[in-house]
Amino acid sequence: MISMTARSNRTFICSVLFLDIIGYSKKPVSEQLWLKDRFNSLLSEALGAIAPGDRIILDTGDGAAVSFLGDPEEALFSALSLRDALEAPQPADGPQIRMRIGINLGPVKLVKDINGQPNIIGDGINVAQRVMSFSEPCQILVSRSYYEVVSCLSDDYAELFRFEGSRTDKHVREHEVYAVGTTAARRPAIRAERSAPAGGPVIDQLSQTVTRFKDNLRRKPRLGTALAVIAILVIALVVRSTRDEPQQVIATEAAPGKATPAQSEKMTPPPAEQERAMASLSILPWGEIYVDGRKAGVSPPLREIEVKPGKRHIEIRNTTFPPYVETIDVAPGSRIKIRHKFR
């Protein structure tokens, strides 16, 4: 690990997490002290698994700016941990704390302040503050530069973001921002098939393609328009061919009060539905989940997974820590909890 002294007076491309306590300056001093103490506690817990040499924290008075000199995902995981803490029941002995959260990836310069302590300056932290100012209470917004880097690391990350459009700051500078969703990005294949719309997987896949084209339409109007028109024409042809196919209907009579075989089949859940079990995940700061050697996803954002009954080998990997391994006995139709905090 490179020391802070060796890093001084160098320019880095790093992730910056900017936090702001909403309404802090309008509170009485007694409430400000309580809010700042609560804020420091939440931030320390969110950053607990990150080595001090890989982060720099700047106190902004009514919040903080944290620069991550290591993996860019660390800013996202820290922000998710903070948002989870804010959405959980808060202590009743003080005012409710609310925050705005923004993340940017950009250039910063590591310098020393007047007291000889490490400090950061540069466009990376300025844009992080602008992005944070656009967010709603307890909402996480990220810049386009951060989204483009992190979304390439995993499909789970890419599906977690939602394009929110362009915002203009007080310096008439535009920023394209993305909101971090609250639900798991990826679902098991069995759940995707169960929720597929009528018309089959082909139409479902084409519909998803049109959705992506709509996003391109907002960012690149000319290209998005051309692609969207082509996709709509293809869908129209598929729907027409589907309607033209002859439908085979088999009617079976049943005695009064009894269900037909087709109705009985609908009422009786398939074996997979009867036996499936769910596992809720609580991993801090983050981890790759493997079940019997097969990757199930990354948590967060993944909140739950389906597991087969029986003895299952669970492994949780984090690039900074040794892997966590356990064997669990899963009962059919049960709901279990998998919790681990890397230290």
Side-chain angles (χ1 to χ4, degrees), residues 46-61:
L47 301 177
I50 301 172
D54 288 339
R55 55 179 169 80
I56 301 175
I57 305 176
L58 296 182
D59 191 329
T60 61

Side-chain angles (χ1 to χ4, degrees), residues 2 32 43 67 78 85 139 199 201 231 233 239 292 299 306 312 333 336:
I2 304 175
Q32 288 183 353
L43 184 58
S67 292
S78 299
Q139 181 187 39
L233 290 175
V239 172
D292 296 333
S299 178
E306 292 183 0
R312 304 269 77 90
I336 60 177

Side-chain angles (χ1 to χ4, degrees), residues 188-205 207-208:
I190 185 172
R191 191 175 294 180
E193 292 176 1
R194 197 178 302 141
S195 60
V202 175
I203 295 180
D204 180 35
Q205 185 175 3
S207 299
Q208 294 176 4

Side-chain angles (χ1 to χ4, degrees), residues 88-242:
Q90 298 193 26
D93 58 343
Q96 183 181 13
I97 183 172
R98 299 191 305 162
M99 279 189 279
R100 293 188 178 91
I101 305 173
I103 305 177
N104 178 48
L105 183 74
V108 300
K109 193 175 186 65
L110 183 61
V111 297
K112 290 184 178 181
D113 61 18
I114 193 171
N115 297 316
Q117 300 298 317
N119 195 356
I120 49 174
I121 59 174
D123 191 62
I125 191 171
N126 295 335
V127 173
Q129 184 179 19
R130 302 287 185 270
V131 171
M132 175 275 300
S133 68
F134 302 135
S135 70
E136 299 295 330
C138 298
Q139 181 187 39
I140 304 173
L141 286 185
V142 306
S143 65
R144 182 178 180 86
S145 60
Y146 184 84
Y147 162 78
E148 289 181 342
V149 170
V150 174
S151 63
C152 294
L153 301 179
S154 167
D155 292 338
D156 293 325
Y157 298 156
E159 296 179 15
L160 184 62
F161 297 97
R162 181 182 71 253
F163 182 63
E164 289 290 304
S166 181
R167 303 287 189 272
T168 304
D169 62 23
K170 62 182 181 181
H171 301 292
V172 200
R173 179 178 177 181
E174 290 192 355
H175 305 271
E176 290 186 343
V177 295
Y178 294 76
V180 179
T182 58
T183 57
R186 183 175 293 277
R187 291 287 189 265
I190 185 172
R191 191 175 294 180
E193 292 176 1
R194 197 178 302 141
S195 60
V202 175
I203 295 180
D204 180 35
Q205 185 175 3
L206 290 173
S207 299
Q208 294 176 4
T209 303
V210 171
T211 301
R212 290 195 294 269
F213 287 159
K214 287 181 180 179
D215 184 64
N216 289 332
L217 180 61
R218 287 182 292 183
R219 289 176 290 176
K220 300 177 181 178
R222 294 181 180 177
L223 175 62
T225 301
L227 295 178
V229 170
I230 294 173
I232 292 172
L233 290 175
V234 173
I235 290 178
L237 292 174
V238 173
V239 172
R240 182 175 180 180
S241 62
T242 303

